[in-house]
Amino acid sequence: MGAISGIVVIGSDTDAAPAGSAIFEKLKACSFERTGEWTDHSVHLGCGIIYNTPESRLEELPRSNESRTLVLTADAIIDNRAELLESFKLEPEESRVITDSELILRAYEAWGYSCPEHLIGDYAFALWDAGKQELFLARDAMGSRTLYYSYERGFFAFCTIETPLLKLFGRPAELNEKWIADFLAIDGIQHEMECEETVYRGIYQLPPAHYGIVNAEGFSKKKYWEPLRDIKPIRFKTDEEYVEAFKRCFSEAVECRLRSAGETGIFLSGGMDSGSIACVAAPKLAEKGKKLHGFTSIPVPEFNERPPRMTIYNESREVGLIAEAYPNIGMTYSSFADKNCLTDIDELIQVFEQPYKVFQNMTWYHSFLKLAAERNCAIMLNGQTGNNTISYGNFAVHLVTLSRQGRIVSAARELYGFSRLVNEPVTKVLKSAIPVVLPHRLKLWRHRTRLREFDRFHNVVVKRSLVHKWNVTERLDQIEANTPISRFPDYEEDRKARTSPLPFTHIGAVETKLSLASGITIRDPSRDKRVFEFCLAIPSGQFVRSGQERYLLRRAMKGILPDPIRLNIVAKGLQSADWVHRLAPIWSGVLAEAGQALEKGNLEPYVEVDKLREKLAKAGGDVSKAEDSVVRSILTAVIFSRFIEDFKQRHS
């Protein structure tokens, strides 16, 4: 695994090698163990390899098939190796020397354009088919690895990251005003509203679960996996059968991701997602005499703010229970007391190649990756997608589903069960449930006066003229962002939301680029395609029962995850709870920098200047007394300003 690049010249005799080598030379700014290039006049392919699995040490990319009619460059870890080896009638003992790229080549030879449907793992690859004179590109179903491209009349170029694609053939580097408007308009950490757009004009992403074809006719793309269409319902006779099937699927997803060329680490919190992954992974590693290196963020020692009821700021006690149950988990707790969410701002702008809003957790996330690299970790596990898969179970969604199905008795039973779990009177629970099951249109009618007065851009500083120019409001409606009244979906509506490519695109970009920067591949068993499909295929009653959320995982992890975590239904951990506290020593400097950015004029084309000034005045000198939304707006403006300044310096 690593990164790839390439270019195809279409309809002319132009040699692709100079432009292809120039793209690859910029890509080599990343640190690779091995690099390779291949060219054949109109085509150039490049690959940088990072040793993250035992087989990756044997990779030589780009590579050809035996007949030399196909040439592949790939950034890939293929997880269903055993299944593919059996399909290709290869002996099991050969699996130690069969690389993932060879499996991809064989898959294309066997299934052609439909080969991505047979590949499970984290991948992006490009394959030149000399017989057809075309380039075939594919990105994995969950979008775990990025694949950017630029297509203009006469050439098609692609790369794992964006900046090597800038200034191709003398074309000036330009920012994408539409993407910026969306970025600044979303009240939340999401970066984009359309998964093909990027911050750079003329550079796009191949979306998750898509393949593309480049030939004399141009460029076309197709979605090869439609979850709501392709996932067939799973129905068993007993609850125990669901649990056993889930455990087999989940265990396989974890085991696949333990294929490491070095040590294995995990971002470990006190919750059920990463905790379950750790408790399944640790015994498997112990069998091989290996450790699982756990990394847990804790607040700075002087942070003494009392958490709200049912919230945990410091999860070291819960994590300690996991480490105690599995002695081969070696824990590292750190607060990175000398850091705040702006400490590494310039470095992270380079890593992400764009402005970013995931600054709260970057204080420890980025720092732990560096620490894990020092411990020789090649793979870093997390449970980023767990809430939508392994630990899915939303009481409100289940209640709405039962209500819309007319199953009033079942809904009443769930309410009663929930009241017992939280030790609250049924009448109080029922009162809280009424707004949940109330039809959304009725809620909109009841709050019509409030809606007329509501400004969905109140918390953000995006320039209003850009909102109108790029129809931002329409796209916010499509993703239901910046809304005053929450919509409670039923199970089918929620399934649709869980299959949206936008979160996959966002997470894939963040994790791919952090992986390249650190040399450690971030992998998430809860985002395994098989786990995802299983969790979308089973009935909602397997996720919520008698008012208890996360019902499937609680049963499956019995005897595996320590009970104080498995059975906890009240308290939830809050990572980076001290993020505002950490800003106190530098807050005056942050306000000054935001003010200077306004004076320079870098923000004026994109930001409502007067509104940002109002927020700066409202924030005051004591950050602990400022509203979180105001602090986030100011930090977003500072990061965006730094990005603009960096872009101008590099591409003026």
Side-chain angles (χ1 to χ4, degrees), residues 3 20 55 57 290 455 513 535 591 596 616:
E55 294 80 11
R57 298 181 183 277
K290 287 192 167 187
D455 177 10
K513 293 174 180 181
C535 291
L591 296 178
Q596 290 167 7
L616 291 174

Side-chain angles (χ1 to χ4, degrees), residues 3 51 70 85 227 239 248 285 304 320 372 397 452 511 517:
Y51 296 152
L70 305 174
L85 289 167
D239 287 345
R248 288 193 299 271
L285 289 170
N304 54 15
V397 169
R452 282 195 294 267
E511 292 186 352

Side-chain angles (χ1 to χ4, degrees), residues 430-486:
L430 179 60
K431 186 177 179 180
S432 300
I434 290 173
V436 173
V437 299
L438 201 66
H440 191 65
R441 287 184 180 179
L442 182 57
K443 282 189 282 188
L444 294 176
W445 179 81
R446 286 183 61 192
H447 298 282
R448 57 193 181 280
T449 303
R450 175 185 165 194
L451 287 171
R452 282 195 294 267
E453 298 172 352
F454 177 72
D455 177 10
R456 69 194 307 174
F457 301 102
H458 173 74
N459 289 333
V460 297
V461 293
V462 61
K463 199 174 186 70
R464 293 297 177 114
S465 59
L466 292 185
V467 169
H468 299 304
K469 178 179 179 180
W470 295 108
N471 299 317
V472 172
T473 303
E474 180 181 329
R475 287 197 301 287
L476 285 171
D477 288 339
Q478 291 172 357
I479 66 171
E480 297 188 12
N482 300 25
T483 56
I485 299 173
S486 299

